[in-house]
Amino acid sequence: MLSRLGALLQQAVEAQEPSFDLLEAFTEHWKGLTHYYVETTDENTPVKETDIPWRLKQMLDILVYEEKQHPAGETGPCLEYLLQHKILETLSTLGKAEYPPGMRQQVFLFFSRVLGQMQHPLLHYLNVHRPVQKLLQLSSNALCPVTEKEEMQFTAVLCVKIKQDPALLMYILEGKNLLTEQKPPEQLCSPQGEAGCRQGESLSTNGEVTASPEQDREGRVGNTSRTSQEGKPKNSVSSSSPPRKEKNLISSLINLCKSQKSRIALKAQENLLLVISVAQPAAATYLVQNSALSSLVTDHLCDLYNTVPTSADPADITSLERVSWRLQNNSTDEGSFPGKESLDAFFGWLDYCDHLVREAHPVVAAALTDAISKKLFQGILRPQLLQMSELGILTSTAMLTAMVRQISAPVLLQETVIFLLGTERGPEAITDSPQHLLRSQLIEHCNHLSDEISLTTLRLFEELLRKPHEHVLYNLVLRNLEERSYIVHHQLGQEDRGIQEQEHYEDALELEEDPYFTDGLPDAGFRPSEKPTPSSLWGPARPDEKTEVNEIILSFLSLVPDEAKTSACLEEAGYDTYVHDALGLFHECCATVSSWNWPQAPKPLETCDPQAVFYEGHFLKVLFDRMTRILDQPYGLNLQVTSVLSRLALFPHPHLHEYLLDPYLNLAPGCRTLFSVLVRVIGDLMQRIQRVSQFPATLLLIRRQLMGLVPGEQIDHLTLLQGVVVLEEFCKELAAIAFVKFSPEGPA
């Protein structure tokens, strides 16, 4: 019995001794560190030449070792000593004073290691999160290359802790629980009952307790104007007060994102992404309300936009490949050009903003999107796009085109589309004053006196049409085709239809079959019938519809007269190449619109408004007007016009099938379709080629020059001849698209 009691006493003594020794060693190292400031007389001695780094390392090791010796959640005497004697508070003050030189680095390192290596939750303690806030204020000031690495490590540890426990965000940003307006639970404060977790208290930069000012909020958070109803957060936050420019974790991370060291900047961006992706709605709302996140991110984006030189070539801007924020672009490579470094920086940060919006909680994403819309879109881009200076219009449109290409986050894309096109979805009218000034001006720029502005703006609309957003196509085109008022609404007998279609053949200048192109269509068997069958083209084609499908395809293939065709003489790829390309693009469009719930057949005529007056809309009007001048426009501009029209024709909407690709429509008076515009262009061509000597040979030479087979030389009627080449290619593209969309051998 006595031996057992003696063993227990011995175990108790052995358990007590390490604790006593650890605390004594810990206090010894801390006193040794503080004595340095009492005894030293040389203020210029670097900290690395003193014993301070060694003593801090010993203190850290003692804290980590002590924690391993105690059960989880139990506070050891050394940790209690650190909290009671405000050691972290003192160290943060020494780091701010930067005495001795290099002390700030040591303080950042000590904080990072203590918070990162210890498993005990520390950031809830007032005497921990208060000095943490002071250090964050230091790192929010101007970048210091000497301490960047240590600051990055410090913020990285905090971001990981927040990701693990989003409630810590309230302590790190503000030091109090603003959401409940209550002080944190007693057990979260120092175990000695240390004061400080008092309701309504915040800290000034000198560490004194002062009354906390009322919290400002981000403007219109979550209630982003014109955002889609799907996915909109219910608990939106809004206020007319501007956000406070506080110095905290967010401002520190944004500051580090601007570092010239690519690794530091990338790590800071990853850590910021970690913070804003918190899933808890309360933490996300708190982040929006109590930090200038949206303002800081957007201000940096606007600053980078303004650093792009006005002398940058718009062609270089629009041809710039998509930039990834994770990849550091080298502006000194072979593809470098003046201003590329600034462009890479801007579009890299734009890609990062796009990624932030995509990954963030909906409340944070809405706040970021709203800030970008207000400051960049409305504040900078809109005045530039509406200005009178042609150079300014050209550069800003090129930048906008590249931005549209870069943006992919649904919420940010929605805001971009609404900014450019507005929210209107009702049919347009010829007499309407512009409902959306920017949309009207951009469309007018497609018909600008400056061919460069027209070309650049057409590229912008083509990029918009590539975006997976239903409102783009509906706003520009579909809303004007809804009532099908471009065709006569009364029912015609089959005999009348046959007569009209026969007259349509005559109007089309007696178009004939082109044997070169029909050879490329497998099993097409094109032979012009006396009159097409009236069967429907909508939905899966049936065997008895093949004749009508063939007639439609043949109408486009034989639209250009034989004397204006040159491709058959150059051993180019056959028509099947155009079909293959159209098939790939068509499948791409089908995948894009698969969730848009488009109808499979046109709206029945009996349900359409017979009194509706057709207007093709501003956008199609400008495109058709451009097509009528294809023989008088530069080659590059013609290519861009036909590229946009081909993109429209590819969309699998029945009204687009009908309006753009059916040559046999019974058009209402005063209406025009793409085919009727092409017929008029061919009529003009037939008159003008009579004035060109040796037209076929000259046209063939132009074609060979455009293909790079022969060197270029000055030729009369160059614009006309180049327009003919584009016209022939465009008709083949339309025929291929019609084959893919209508033919039984097409999409299947």
Side-chain angles (χ1 to χ4, degrees):
M1 186 69 179
L2 292 175
S3 61
R4 183 177 300 178
L5 181 59
L8 291 174
L9 290 173
Q10 181 64 28
Q11 291 177 4
V13 170
E14 291 175 353
Q16 293 279 340
E17 286 179 353
S19 176
F20 175 80
D21 293 340
L22 287 176
L23 179 59
E24 183 179 10
F26 186 83
T27 56
E28 181 67 24
H29 285 299
W30 175 241
K31 291 177 180 178
L33 188 151
T34 55
H35 285 167
Y36 170 84
Y37 290 90
V38 177
E39 299 171 356
T40 186
T41 57
D42 186 1
E43 299 181 355
N44 298 320
T45 303
V47 69
K48 291 184 178 180
E49 297 180 8
T50 69
D51 64 349
I52 292 178
W54 176 77
R55 291 191 179 280
L56 289 175
K57 180 66 168 56
Q58 295 304 310
M59 292 170 63
L60 171 68
D61 292 342
I62 291 173
L63 288 171
V64 173
Y65 178 80
E66 178 190 66
E67 184 179 48
K68 294 178 180 179
Q69 306 306 310
H70 288 76
E74 183 178 321
T75 305
C78 294
L79 179 58
E80 290 184 1
Y81 183 89
L82 179 139
L83 296 172
Q84 276 186 328
H85 292 79
K86 302 182 180 180
I87 290 179
L88 296 180
E89 185 83 30
T90 303
L91 286 175
S92 66
T93 303
L94 296 176
K96 181 180 179 181
E98 184 65 343
Y99 172 65
M103 186 60 185
R104 187 172 300 179
Q105 287 177 283
Q106 299 301 320
V107 171
F108 275 120
L109 281 174
F110 183 75
F111 271 68
S112 303
R113 291 167 178 170
V114 168
L115 296 174
Q117 296 182 27
M118 295 193 65
Q119 302 303 313
H120 188 85
L122 298 176
L123 286 167
H124 303 83
Y125 296 108
L126 176 65
N127 285 337
V128 176
H129 67 245
R130 178 163 56 185
V132 163
Q133 291 170 1
K134 292 177 67 175
L135 286 185
L136 288 172
Q137 291 171 357
L138 288 178
S139 60
S140 297
N141 295 326
L143 279 174
C144 178
V146 178
T147 60
E148 274 185 346
K149 181 180 178 181
E150 290 74 22
E151 291 176 21
M152 189 67 262
Q153 294 174 355
F154 174 59
T155 54
V157 171
L158 295 178
C159 292
V160 171
K161 294 295 183 181
I162 291 173
K163 186 65 177 179
Q164 295 171 351
D165 183 8
L168 291 176
L169 191 64
M170 306 165 192
Y171 294 90
I172 295 176
L173 288 184
E174 185 64 24
K176 64 171 186 171
N177 191 337
L178 187 65
L179 293 182
T180 60
E181 290 297 335
Q182 296 176 356
K183 63 180 179 179
E186 292 294 336
Q187 61 268 26
L188 296 182
C189 295
S190 172
Q192 285 70 31
E194 184 164 320
C197 294
R198 287 170 285 180
Q199 178 182 1
E201 289 183 353
S202 66
L203 298 164
S204 61
T205 55
N206 60 7
E208 296 178 356
V209 180
T210 58
S212 175
E214 184 179 354
Q215 300 299 314
D216 293 330
R217 296 182 178 180
E218 295 280 350
R220 293 203 312 131
V221 177
N223 257 337
T224 307
S225 61
R226 306 176 297 277
T227 53
S228 60
Q229 295 301 317
E230 297 182 1
K232 179 181 286 188
K234 295 181 179 180
N235 54 341
S236 302
V237 183
S238 62
S239 174
S240 58
S241 302
R244 290 188 300 178
K245 300 294 184 180
E246 294 178 338
K247 295 180 179 180
N248 51 30
L249 176 62
I250 303 301
S251 57
S252 177
L253 287 171
I254 295 293
N255 205 32
L256 290 169
C257 288
K258 303 174 185 178
S259 172
Q260 297 299 314
K261 300 176 182 177
S262 58
R263 292 185 179 181
I264 297 292
L266 179 60
K267 187 65 177 177
Q269 291 171 4
E270 291 175 344
N271 288 330
L272 180 59
L273 184 62
L274 200 65
V275 172
I276 70 161
S277 61
V278 290
Q280 292 185 3
T285 304
Y286 191 89
L287 177 63
V288 168
Q289 289 180 334
N290 296 277
S291 75
L293 169 66
S294 304
S295 178
L296 291 171
V297 171
T298 309
D299 286 347
H300 186 45
L301 183 65
C302 294
D303 291 341
L304 291 174
Y305 180 91
N306 291 328
T307 61
V308 176
T310 55
S311 58
D313 189 344
D316 290 334
I317 297 174
T318 53
S319 62
L320 193 68
E321 296 182 359
R322 291 187 86 254
V323 179
S324 172
W325 65 275
R326 292 185 183 276
L327 302 177
Q328 300 301 320
N329 294 284
N330 185 6
S331 60
T332 61
D333 57 15
E334 295 180 358
S336 180
F337 53 83
K340 187 174 187 297
E341 185 176 356
S342 299
L343 288 169
D344 284 343
F346 169 72
F347 286 110
W349 189 254
L350 177 63
D351 184 61
Y352 180 65
C353 293
D354 185 76
H355 197 77
L356 286 179
V357 172
R358 190 186 309 112
E359 298 295 329
H361 187 278
V363 172
V364 181
L368 284 170
T369 301
D370 187 57
I372 292 173
S373 177
K374 286 181 178 179
K375 294 189 176 184
L376 181 61
F377 293 167
Q378 300 290 348
I380 296 178
L381 275 173
R382 191 174 188 276
Q384 291 183 354
L385 293 167
L386 296 177
Q387 65 181 308
M388 300 301 294
S389 167
E390 291 189 0
L391 179 60
I393 293 174
L394 193 59
T395 304
S396 58
T397 305
M399 289 291 292
L400 179 58
T401 303
M403 290 169 61
V404 170
R405 185 187 307 126
Q406 192 79 40
I407 292 172
S408 61
V411 178
L412 187 55
L413 178 60
Q414 164 82 5
E415 192 69 24
T416 305
V417 170
I418 298 304
F419 163 68
L420 294 175
L421 303 179
T423 59
E424 294 77 15
R425 293 179 68 87
E428 298 177 71
I430 301 178
T431 57
D432 275 352
S433 58
Q435 294 178 305
H436 192 275
L437 179 60
L438 182 57
R439 175 187 185 273
S440 177
Q441 285 293 99
L442 288 174
I443 295 177
E444 281 298 323
H445 288 171
C446 295
N447 206 19
H448 201 275
L449 292 175
S450 167
D451 291 333
E452 282 189 282
I453 290 179
S454 297
L455 178 62
T456 304
T457 311
L458 284 167
R459 286 174 179 163
L460 167 63
F461 280 102
E462 186 172 20
E463 285 295 338
L464 279 173
L465 290 170
R466 294 178 187 274
K467 289 297 174 182
H469 201 289
E470 183 268 348
H471 186 68
V472 175
L473 192 63
Y474 195 89
N475 179 276
L476 291 174
V477 178
L478 288 178
R479 60 171 169 159
N480 301 306
L481 308 180
E482 193 73 26
E483 297 298 324
R484 300 177 68 196
S485 51
Y486 44 84
I487 59 177
V488 177
H489 280 211
H490 65 270
Q491 298 293 328
L492 296 175
Q494 184 169 337
E495 182 179 355
D496 294 335
R497 178 180 170 87
I499 294 174
Q500 289 189 351
E501 288 166 345
Q502 187 65 30
E503 292 174 352
H504 200 86
Y505 266 112
E506 296 173 2
D507 291 341
L509 307 175
E510 300 179 351
L511 303 174
E512 297 178 354
E513 178 185 357
D514 186 339
Y516 175 77
F517 295 114
T518 55
D519 289 344
L521 268 172
D523 302 325
F526 288 126
R527 293 294 181 271
S529 60
E530 293 185 1
K531 66 180 179 181
T533 61
S535 58
S536 172
L537 292 174
W538 320 116
R542 298 183 297 272
D544 61 348
E545 297 173 5
K546 185 175 181 179
T547 303
E548 184 173 3
V549 173
N550 290 347
E551 292 297 339
I552 291 175
I553 298 170
L554 181 60
S555 297
F556 287 105
L557 284 177
S558 55
L559 191 58
V560 178
D562 289 339
E563 55 266 39
K565 292 178 179 177
T566 58
S567 55
C569 306
L570 296 176
E571 299 182 357
E572 286 186 328
Y575 178 74
D576 55 340
T577 302
Y578 290 88
V579 174
H580 179 271
D581 294 342
L583 184 61
L585 293 172
F586 180 65
H587 285 163
E588 178 186 318
C589 281
C590 289
T592 300
V593 308
S594 59
S595 61
W596 295 357
N597 298 320
W598 275 355
Q600 297 298 313
K603 184 178 180 180
L605 284 175
E606 56 269 19
T607 64
C608 296
D609 182 7
Q611 305 300 322
V613 178
F614 178 68
Y615 173 50
E616 64 252 41
H618 196 181
F619 186 60
L620 279 182
K621 178 182 181 301
V622 168
L623 291 179
F624 286 172
D625 289 346
R626 276 292 185 188
M627 279 302 303
T628 61
R629 302 196 297 272
I630 193 173
L631 302 177
D632 302 299
Q633 296 174 156
Y635 178 71
L637 181 57
N638 284 335
L639 288 178
Q640 192 59 54
V641 172
T642 56
S643 178
V644 174
L645 286 168
S646 295
R647 170 65 57 173
L648 289 174
L650 280 165
F651 282 101
H653 193 286
H655 293 167
L656 287 174
H657 297 334
E658 183 177 62
Y659 185 66
L660 296 180
L661 294 175
D662 189 353
Y664 304 114
L665 285 179
N666 183 25
L667 288 177
C671 297
R672 60 179 179 173
T673 63
L674 179 56
F675 190 83
S676 69
V677 169
L678 291 173
V679 168
R680 291 179 180 273
V681 173
I682 295 299
D684 183 28
L685 171 63
M686 296 302 294
Q687 295 179 8
R688 297 173 65 172
I689 62 176
Q690 306 300 324
R691 301 193 293 268
V692 181
S693 60
Q694 299 181 336
F695 178 79
T698 309
L699 181 63
L700 182 59
L701 177 61
I702 289 294
R703 180 103 183 184
R704 292 171 66 87
Q705 287 182 359
L706 293 174
M707 295 175 61
L709 300 178
V710 296
E713 58 182 80
Q714 187 63 35
I715 299 177
D716 294 335
H717 307 287
L718 179 63
T719 301
L720 169 66
L721 297 170
Q722 290 179 340
V724 174
V725 173
V726 175
L727 186 61
E728 180 186 1
E729 293 298 310
F730 183 50
C731 290
K732 288 190 291 184
E733 289 176 7
L734 293 177
I737 293 172
F739 175 74
V740 166
K741 297 175 79 172
F742 298 152
S743 174
E745 295 90 348

